[in-house]
Amino acid sequence: GEGEAAGPVADAPVKGGELTFAVDTEPVSFDVHVSQQDITGTILRNVFDSLVHQDGQGGFQPWLAESWEVADDLKTYTFKLRKDVKFTDGTAFDAEAVKANFDRIADPATKSQLAATLLGPYDGTEVVDPHTVKVSFKQSFAPFLQAVSTPYLGFYSPKTIKENGAKLGSGGAVDVGTGPFVFSAYTKGQNATFTRNPDYAWAPKGATNAGAPYLDKLNIRFLPEASVRVGSLTSGQVHVSFALPPADAKAVEGNSKLALDRRDAPGANYSIYLNAAKAPLNDEKVRKAIQRGIDIDTHVKTLYFGEYKRAWSPLSPATAPYAKALDGSWPYDQALSGKLLDEAGWTTRDSEGYRTKDGKRLTVDWPLLPASFIREKRDVLGQAFQADLKKLGVEVKRPQGDIGTYIATVYGGKADLADYSWARAEPDVLWLLFNGASKPAEGGQNATFIDDPELTEWTDKGRSTLDKATRDDVYTKIQQRAVELGLVIPVYTSAFTNGRSRTVGGLEYEANGWPVFQGAWVTKK
Amino acid sequence: MNEPLLNVEGLSVRFPETRAVRDVSFTLDRGECLAVVGESGSGKSVTARSLVGLAGDRAEVTARRLEFAGLDLASLDEKAWRRVRGGRIGLVLQDALVSLDPLRTAGAEIAEALRTHTKVPRDQVGERVRELLVRAGVPEPEVRAGQYPHQLSGGLRQRALIASAIAAGPELVIADEPTTALDVTVQAQILALIEELKKDGTAVLLISHDLAVVSRLADRIAVMYGGTVVEHGPARQVLDDPRHPYTRALIAAVPEPSGRGSLLSLPAHEGKEPDPDGCPYAARCVLADDRCRTSLPALAPREAGTRCWHPVSGPITRERRPQAEASPVRDGDTPLLEVREVSKSYRGRPAVSGVSLSLLPGESLGIVGESGSGKTTLARIVLGLVSPDEGSVSFAGVPWSALPERRRRPLRHRVQAIVQDPLGSFDPRHPVSRVLDEALALTGHERGPRRRARAAELLALVGLSPAVLPRSPSSLSGGQRQRIAIARALASEPELLVCDEPVSALDVSVQAQILDLLTGLRARLGLALLFISHDLGVVHHVSDRVAVMKDGRVVETGEVTALFQSPSHPYTKELFASLPALHRVS
Amino acid sequence: MSPVVRILAGLGTRLLGAAAVMFGAATLAFAALALIPGDPVTIMLGPFTTASQEIRDQIVLDHGFDRPLHEQYLSYLGRLVQGDMGESYQLQRPVAGLISEQFGPTAELASAAVVLAVVIAVASAVATAGRGRASRRAAHAWELVAVSLPSYWLGIVLLTVFSFRLGLFPLVGASGPSALVLPAATLALPIAGVLAQVLREGLETALEQPFAVTARARGLSRTAVRLRHALRHAAAPLANLTGWLAGSLLGGAVLVEVVFGRAGLGALTLQAALNKDMPVLIGVVLLSALVFVVIAAAVDLLHLLVDPRLRPA
Amino acid sequence: MTTPTLPEARWKAWRPARPALLAAWTVIALIVLAAAFPGLFTGRDPLELEPAVAMRGPSPEHWFGTDQLGRDLFTRVVYGTRPSLLVGLGALTLALAAGALYGLAAALLGRFADVALMRLLDVLLALPQLLVALLALTVLGSGQVNLMIAIALSLLPAYARLVRAEALVVRRSGYLESAVLLGQHPLVQAFRHVLPNALGPLLVLGTVGFGMAVIAASGLSFLGFGAEPPSPEWGVMLSEGRDYLQTAWWLGVFPGAAITLTVVAVSVAGRSAQARFTRRTTL
Ligand SMILES: Nc1ncnc2c1ncn2[C@@H]1O[C@H](COP(=O)(O)OP(=O)(O)OP(=O)(O)O)[C@@H](O)[C@H]1O
Ligand SMILES: Nc1ncnc2c1ncn2[C@@H]1O[C@H](COP(=O)(O)OP(=O)(O)OP(=O)(O)O)[C@@H](O)[C@H]1O
Ligand SMILES: [Mg+2]
Ligand SMILES: [Mg+2]
């Protein structure tokens, strides 16, 4: 698709050469069917192709599937597969392969942490003929096309599944796919190397490079230290660096040898979700007071040096349909917040200046993830909000325990606030966030802990139709209602800020904002 | 008489904190032996070391004259010094037991000396080493050469050390305390070895704090005190007719059969400190006047003389001591202590085997024997610190060693001990007052003025002023420490005092005072003493009866004078034979 | 006892001790595992997971979390004896494999660091022992600071200066000595500081010993005494400490490997600790216990070589 | 099985020069003051935001510059003193107390107890200190208190060993013997003589342990087991600052300097104390 060419392209494509790509995290498991980490998808996108390709506008293009039909009840999807596709171990890609992979994902023994969810109410796959498969679901399931466009529903060669089924997670040559690159080697804690797949000829429709990649070798280096990533980029030790800290963005832009590729992350913005199921946030007034009482604009700007957009909706502008109407509709207004809190009866104040109601202090619990899980300085941002709300007379507690405790409290609905973002280029992510059935206790993500009939209805409706108009309508309404009810405080749309040496050309970014190296090259200096 | 081999004039050595040696002069001829005696800290070693340019980086050495075989030592540079050291002057350091590198074989050390100074071809080094060891009187030299210091006895180490010092055939050998910490028998052998050297024409500078030791082979004696030579002259003269008050005190202090029954320490007093250039002895000297405190007479390097304004002459007169014998030992008395056939062995090696002793109230029993003969072990058994493997100890008629500690504890105050190292027996954090206080508390004196009064009494008893109460034992002199230890022992009014080498770490003069104190106390309080020492003179001086130990057994026991006059057991005979005496029986 | 018997006996006791330590370590690690609060499955899955219930049940089954503790312990010991350290929760791979794969880089880093540290220490100590005040003060100063610097901080600074600014020692070129220099230095400097002090102290005490003076009285030069006598005496404590530090380098490796993005046990350990991946942690614990036992033995042997007094008579 | 010397062995080294000592004590005094009354050093509030002046370098009004939220770094460093020291001190006190008891028990409770306790210690000693800490944190979970416990646990074995060794020396000492001869009760002996004399060197080593503890703490917060924001803690600040090395060096440099300075000062003081101590006992 038109994963838009990023930055000024350095002249004409150059064959051969090696490109080093520095990433911030190392996949725990390299098994796309098991892992739930973004990084796994990001890296293995180069190894695994999908049936369909999602373009920049959220439309879908043929890839391994030449064409497809969706039953009206959205319960069966039938794909016609390309006939010329080969796995890098030489075996052919066919209907059997698709079935083998989907069945593997659905099998509990695989312990899939994400892919299984993407398969939704999967019922089974039927091999119609060697190049036709029919995937059926127990209920109608609209998001499937998007799901099947992600690497998590990518395809291992059935051979490797049979021979190395258990070892796929450990990366290296066993991870055999159909993609432009072959996963040749992996040194845990250090780097993973990928070599060119010379036979590659099935790039998604409209890709600038239809054939095999230009690069001979793709070397992915794991550098968890942000400063180290930046340093090795500026000192020319790596060509592309993933997730640059906003602090260094300016410096990179200023550097004539470097370019900065910025792309808003799709899916759910980084937002704070309010637990409306328990006091004090079961009172809408209090929720809205908090929502309006924090100076998101300033803090996001200062902390991220303007690299991240301040968010107005729970959904990212990069994911259609985005509710434009929300922009600027709920500005920072402490006076209003004060009024709301008074109305809510939090009128008296205690010695430390916090508001109280019949002797109880207005306190909200906002557990903090263990430091190792904190990204993008969200803890610091939290400190800023803490300070704002203190001015308002609201005490914010941020207990930090180990991950077990965190999960127990937050996902058990014992906390008042929970904060996270959810990268998935599909509005159905809203179902995960607001549908009453998406209970955190059962692997859901609805941290508002209430089952608002309309939100539930609309999210269900959205995933059960492919009709653009209806979807646009319900998804827009969902975003607006969630904000109006003060169930969510959208904070910022994080961006993929990747640093790139100007010697790198043809680097593209797909719907998730992940770099695709199939069309990339490095010009020798 | 031609130029002496070594000619020292006005040698002075200062360290930042002290003036170790001041204006020392002497000469030394080939084949001659000059003995330097003096108490600890008098500057002997520093003098010796500065003769080989090793007084230390912080030392500042000056001399009007420092000549060795016509060579001006003062003007030597490091390289030249290296040729002299070991090559022409051999130095045997004071601490014989630790002067060999514990990580290298004795042979290697000797060979090192050979290599640095002589052109012995490699293949013959081993042979030369063997010869040297033989010369130093080391049995089975091949074996010894290959052994490490820890595998050699004290005597052997000392011999090996001497062998390495004479390896390059030096004209002068300086032996600093070559016999201290050695058993008398071994002592005698070492002295014999040095005598050999002397006979071969080597000049010997013999340093010792023990007059008796040097009297045997010194041609001349220089007595040092406070960094200066206070008297020197031909050995006989210095020994028989000492002139300097200090020399006299020193000689008087040596316990000798003749001196038995009289005090060893001459009257001394605590005078005020003299000026830097006054006579250092003025502080202790009874004869000292202002002149002594401000100035010091000169002394000619060659001929005999005394560095004193009031030289004394004539025989030394000792005071009678309070009669210890006044507490006569009557037969038929129930023994206070009864040791029956006790044996104790460590890891199969017997330390004490089948020893029987008995001690009457008020009696003083001396125990002599070479190192390792089991004296301390026996003492510890008597004290109930070690329980014997066999045999038993009974105290005042009741079983003692057999008692469980719980039952023995209430009786412990009746038996007390004094050990060689008093400092080690004080809690490093406690001042003198606390040390005594604890002892008194444990023996039922309840705290308050009476206890404090008692503490003062005890101090008076051991001849110390209450001024020491607040001080830490570590800040006191060796003699004072031992007095404190005695005071603590007396706190519980014991009937038996076990003394394990109580004076062997002390200078003769101090030793004299302590011995006088002990004998005095014994007479006064009717204490019984179990007195352990390797020094026959000392034992003879303090005890009524003596038991001689060897290899954990008592080989002979008897009334002291009788035993000394006619020892029967061969070992005892050898022991007494090798005992160096001040006045050679001529 | 005859020497042979003595030696054998010594060997025996050592082996017993080693075994005891290993067993203790194993038990300790298991105790830790048992003590972790919270549901292991949730911990294993971490946050932000949408794993369904049957998947959770599957995990419980696989790891036998449902069985009583003592059973788990016994079977755990049983498996250990057969050299099976179980499978990593997070990475779903056999621990033995993981560790053996990560051991190489760390061993490489550690040994490089030790060598570097010893070299620096010997240089600094021999140069300054018993010399003028000024030089000693200077030496003490750098040693003290080196010891007082947080190593990760030192690492980042070294990286910024030497790799990023000056372009020496590339970090990403990975493997090969040049990539080893900075991490090794980071690890070595603090250790070097410690070693230098111990070594100097050893030298100085040795030089004050009577046997050193005697050696000079024999006509040896200062340097000769240093080399022939003093050094050997200083060697023993140095060996001791080096051994101990070498054993504890795994700890330092955690920080350094994270900073330099190096593969190795340190990184593995950290990841395991963060994810509460106990099987891996247990593996690491056992390994470092083993390493320690081996090093201790080596050090003792070294002592026997250096110091005859320790040899069985 | 013999265990190689513990790192503490090193601190026998030297007696620092007068001026160094003076400087050290001044620093310590300042640190203690800052910990007790941070208000004395700055009028600002460590949590007060000033987005307008975020990420400014050192200047007359902000000596150490400001951080991402425009908080005054100097103020944060000053207020960070208490929590940072608390971790170190807390860990140290725990380790010392536990170690002392453990060591005494091993030395005085007889052969069997000794063997058992020492074996257990061997196990802990066999593990790198950081690994022990990590293990403990994995079990306890992160957070300031757990951090303390973990570090204490990693320091404990060294101390226990030392105390035991010292206690055994005292037990063989002449002065304990004379206490026995005077018929003193074993318990009294233990507390009059054994404990105090064994404790001396331990306390001196403590000063060193403090340095180790502070560094360990900062290292662990770097690894993500740190204290809870927004309370400023040096280790946390330092590890946050590392991301800005290229753009805002002061964010990392000043907390780092604070840590190093503290550790240096305390160990200098500690060494002189130890020099004095060893001198006293060797006299
Ligand atoms: N290296 C040194 N630094 C400072 N003072 C020293 C040094 N060596 C010796 N002294 C001092 O010089 C004085 C004489 O010391 P020296 O060792 O010569 O006494 P000594 O007669 O050998 O005593 P001993 O019989 O105990 O060996 C003593 O007061 C001693 O403290
Ligand atoms: N605690 C012990 N453990 C092992 N062996 C010991 C112990 N105490 C004494 N021995 C051995 O017992 C023998 C006698 O020792 P003891 O100390 O009683 O001799 P001694 O006559 O006091 O020697 P010295 O005159 O040197 O004090 C020696 O061989 C010594 O090595
Ligand atoms: Mg001397
Ligand atoms: Mg003895």
Side-chain angles (χ1 to χ4, degrees), chain A residues 54-345:
Chain A
Q54 181 177 30
D55 62 31
Q57 284 61 45
F60 297 98
Q61 307 296 336
W63 195 349
L64 294 183
E66 290 169 338
S67 65
W68 57 89
E69 331 165 333
V70 184
D72 303 341
D73 62 359
L74 297 177
K75 282 192 175 169
T76 56
Y77 292 69
T78 313
F79 298 91
K80 288 231 163 296
L81 310 177
R82 291 178 66 134
K83 304 193 172 49
D84 58 346
V85 179
K86 277 201 168 17
F87 288 102
T88 48
D89 63 1
T91 56
F93 168 80
D94 57 13
E96 285 301 341
V98 177
K99 179 174 171 47
N101 278 274
F102 286 173
D103 289 349
R104 173 169 189 260
I105 295 168
D107 176 1
T110 311
K111 298 189 222 125
S112 168
Q113 298 180 23
L114 177 61
T117 336
L118 291 176
L119 269 185
Y122 177 73
D123 194 20
T125 306
E126 177 193 338
V127 177
V128 180
D129 67 54
H131 297 291
T132 315
V133 279
K134 185 146 156 235
V135 185
S136 37
F137 298 89
K138 299 197 190 69
Q139 301 109 36
S140 49
F141 186 52
F144 184 57
L145 274 185
Q146 194 278 337
V148 87
S149 78
T150 65
Y152 301 101
L153 296 190
F155 305 96
Y156 287 98
S157 120
K159 183 148 161 285
T160 201
I161 290 184
K162 197 168 330 96
E163 290 167 5
N164 318 310
K167 293 206 244 85
L168 296 181
S170 49
V174 293
D175 286 336
V176 178
T178 59
F181 287 93
V182 182
F183 196 160
S184 46
Y186 166 51
T187 315
K188 179 154 178 18
Q190 191 157 312
N191 66 333
T193 49
F194 301 81
T195 45
R196 182 163 182 273
N197 171 8
D199 310 333
Y200 193 72
W202 41 87
K205 180 158 165 297
T208 43
N209 171 20
Y214 303 119
L215 296 169
D216 288 337
K217 191 148 167 260
L218 171 63
N219 175 18
I220 292 184
R221 188 80 165 79
F222 306 110
L223 297 176
E225 276 302 295
S227 54
V228 173
R229 275 201 308 287
V230 177
S232 28
L233 178 72
T234 47
S235 61
Q237 300 181 34
V238 304
H239 297 97
V240 181
S241 174
F242 197 61
L244 288 187
D248 300 293
K250 289 273 168 300
V252 170
E253 273 170 330
N255 185 327
S256 62
K257 287 207 214 56
L258 305 177
L260 189 76
D261 300 342
R262 193 190 296 97
R263 231 166 160 287
D264 290 343
N269 286 326
Y270 172 69
S271 312
I272 301 168
Y273 297 87
L274 296 81
N275 182 348
K278 68 186 274 279
L281 298 187
N282 53 1
D283 180 337
E284 182 178 341
K285 286 201 161 62
V286 180
R287 295 205 297 271
K288 298 217 56 120
I290 293 180
Q291 189 184 50
R292 307 295 295 274
I294 56 184
D295 188 354
I296 299 173
D297 265 324
T298 320
H299 298 322
V300 169
K301 196 178 280 91
T302 48
L303 188 55
Y304 302 117
F305 305 88
E307 293 297 318
Y308 296 168
K309 287 206 201 76
R310 175 259 157 86
W312 293 102
S313 155
L315 198 61
S316 159
T319 305
Y322 172 72
K324 253 211 150 327
L326 280 173
D327 289 6
S329 63
W330 48 281
Y332 174 53
D333 182 348
Q334 283 232 341
L336 172 66
S337 303
K339 202 159 114 301
L340 285 166
L341 287 175
D342 293 338
E343 289 168 16

Side-chain angles (χ1 to χ4, degrees), chain B residues 118-141:
Chain B
T118 59
K119 305 264 167 299
V120 185
R122 284 202 153 285
D123 52 347
Q124 287 169 35
V125 169
E127 180 48 28
R128 287 283 290 118
V129 169
R130 209 188 62 79
E131 290 166 22
L132 282 163
L133 285 171
V134 174
R135 173 133 185 258
V138 175
E140 41 183 350

Side-chain angles (χ1 to χ4, degrees), chain B residues 183 346-347 349-352 369-378 420 500-501 534:
Chain B
D183 293 321
Y346 291 101
R347 298 191 217 86
R349 288 173 58 257
V352 168
E370 65 188 5
S371 175
S373 57
K375 306 186 295 292
T376 298
T377 309
L378 179 59
Q420 179 167 356
D500 186 357
E501 310 267 10
H534 63 272

Side-chain angles (χ1 to χ4, degrees), chain C residues 240-252:
Chain C
N240 266 337
L241 197 51
T242 315
W244 192 88
L245 290 169
S248 67
L249 270 184
L250 175 60

Side-chain angles (χ1 to χ4, degrees), chain A residues 224-227 230-231 234 245 247-248 251 298-299 302-303 305 368 370-372 377 379-381 383-388 398-402, chain D residues 47 49 51-52 54-55 67-69 71 76 137-138 140-143 221-230 239-240 242-247:
Chain A
E225 276 302 295
S227 54
V230 177
T234 47
D248 300 293
T298 320
H299 298 322
T302 48
L303 188 55
F305 305 88
L368 189 61
S372 50
K377 306 230 165 296
D379 52 339
V380 185
L381 191 58
Q383 294 169 35
F385 295 159
Q386 224 170 345
D388 286 345
R398 301 220 68 184
Q400 187 177 37
D402 56 295
Chain D
L47 303 184
L49 311 181
M55 296 296 263
D67 72 358
Q68 315 95 309
L69 298 178
R71 293 173 296 195
R76 285 180 70 71
L137 284 167
T138 316
L140 303 169
S142 53
S221 12
F222 169 86
L223 293 177
F225 297 92
E228 311 164 10
S239 46
E240 273 180 7
R242 72 183 192 266
D243 290 353
Y244 299 95
L245 209 60
Q246 311 272 11
T247 44

Side-chain angles (χ1 to χ4, degrees), chain D residues 122-206:
Chain D
D122 280 345
V123 176
L124 282 180
L125 278 166
L127 305 179
Q129 293 187 331
L130 196 79
L131 182 57
V132 174
L134 278 180
L135 203 60
L137 284 167
T138 316
V139 174
L140 303 169
S142 53
Q144 212 151 355
V145 177
N146 294 348
L147 198 59
M148 248 186 249
I149 301 176
I151 296 175
L153 207 59
S154 68
L155 291 176
L156 183 146
Y159 295 148
R161 228 164 205 294
L162 178 75
V163 172
R164 171 176 172 272
E166 292 290 331
L168 286 181
V169 172
V170 177
R171 248 184 56 179
R172 291 195 216 88
S173 73
Y175 53 91
L176 207 72
E177 203 158 89
S178 42
V180 174
L181 285 177
L182 289 165
Q184 194 172 53
H185 191 279
L187 266 179
V188 186
Q189 291 168 18
F191 287 95
R192 279 269 176 74
H193 300 291
V194 182
L195 189 60
N197 282 295
L199 235 47
L202 184 70
L203 292 179
V204 180
L205 284 185

